[in-house]
Amino acid sequence: MPFGGEPPQLLKQRLLYQGRRFSFESSRLRLPNEQEGEWECIRHPGGALAVPVTPEGKLILLRQYRFTVQGRLLEFPAGTVEPSEGPEETIKREIEEETGYRAHRWRKLGEYFMAPGYSDEIIYAYLAEDLELLENPPGQDIDEDIETTLMTVEEVDRAIHSGDLADAKSISAFMLARPFLK
């Protein structure tokens, strides 16, 4: 992803927290205009997301419990990129674990930042087509509570506009996929 302009000068950096999936750091920077300040940032390895389309043209979404919002969110299958894999490997693994399907045709839709005001997390979005229902899917991780649901493109549109689908990464990916959906 291209960026423009002169980068700031890093004066000091402190790791405030190192977690299982992300870290939190504080940096003192001198901007190109010579102003100095403190910035905090969540460092995240990134995520991969798929908009899966069944042979019948239905989209596979998940209702997943999210601790941060204390409830279930409607979203497309996604997962954190592990250190040993790239985004393509991540989403191929996640779609099988979370939906029980394997995609045989992939199209990269794009990549985007989730919340660049405080995090470097980037999402790699894909369209997953030519799906095959697996006889023995690997199953969800033990820390996940997921229900799958099939929706038409129109139903997803309505869910976004009604607020039932309020997950930013899923809405962004759906908009990128929209020209390829019937």
Side-chain angles (χ1 to χ4, degrees):
M1 206 174 261
F3 304 102
E6 183 183 340
Q9 179 185 2
L10 179 62
L11 303 173
K12 182 180 174 185
Q13 192 169 50
R14 294 179 298 140
L15 179 64
L16 303 174
Y17 173 78
Q18 179 64 57
R20 186 171 50 102
R21 297 245 187 238
F22 65 87
S23 62
F24 182 62
E25 66 184 37
S26 177
S27 299
R28 180 142 191 93
L29 304 173
R30 179 177 295 124
L31 301 176
N33 66 5
E34 298 300 319
Q35 296 295 314
E36 290 185 16
E38 293 281 333
W39 281 267
E40 290 89 21
C41 177
I42 296 171
R43 298 287 182 199
H44 191 283
L49 176 146
V51 177
V53 184
T54 68
E56 300 77 31
K58 298 274 184 123
L59 306 181
I60 302 174
L61 289 96
L62 313 171
R63 287 204 183 271
Q64 183 167 356
Y65 179 79
R66 295 295 190 177
F67 169 77
T68 54
V69 298
Q70 299 292 298
R72 291 180 172 278
L73 289 181
L74 185 61
E75 54 191 88
F76 286 110
T80 300
V81 176
E82 299 293 337
S84 63
E85 55 187 20
E88 297 88 4
E89 294 167 288
T90 297
I91 196 53
K92 287 178 180 179
R93 174 181 48 78
E94 288 288 340
I95 197 171
E96 290 183 19
E97 290 174 3
E98 294 183 346
T99 71
Y101 284 86
R102 175 176 292 141
H104 295 286
R105 197 168 69 232
W106 293 88
R107 177 190 306 260
K108 185 168 184 188
L109 296 171
E111 49 194 63
Y112 45 89
F113 290 104
M114 285 299 299
Y118 60 85
S119 175
D120 66 351
E121 181 181 6
I122 192 166
I123 297 293
Y124 302 90
Y126 298 87
L127 183 65
E129 298 175 295
D130 193 13
L131 298 182
E132 164 195 8
L133 184 58
L134 298 173
E135 285 186 36
N136 296 306
Q140 334 175 343
D141 292 337
I142 59 170
D143 63 346
E144 294 179 319
D145 180 6
I146 298 172
E147 296 172 5
T148 60
T149 185
L150 298 175
M151 299 175 77
T152 65
V153 171
E154 294 76 20
E155 288 170 331
V156 173
D157 271 330
R158 285 194 298 273
I160 291 170
H161 292 285
S162 72
D164 190 35
L165 197 168
D167 174 57
K169 71 184 181 306
S170 296
I171 295 169
S172 297
F174 178 71
M175 293 303 157
L176 291 171
R178 197 71 174 89
F180 306 105
L181 303 173
K182 297 174 184 138

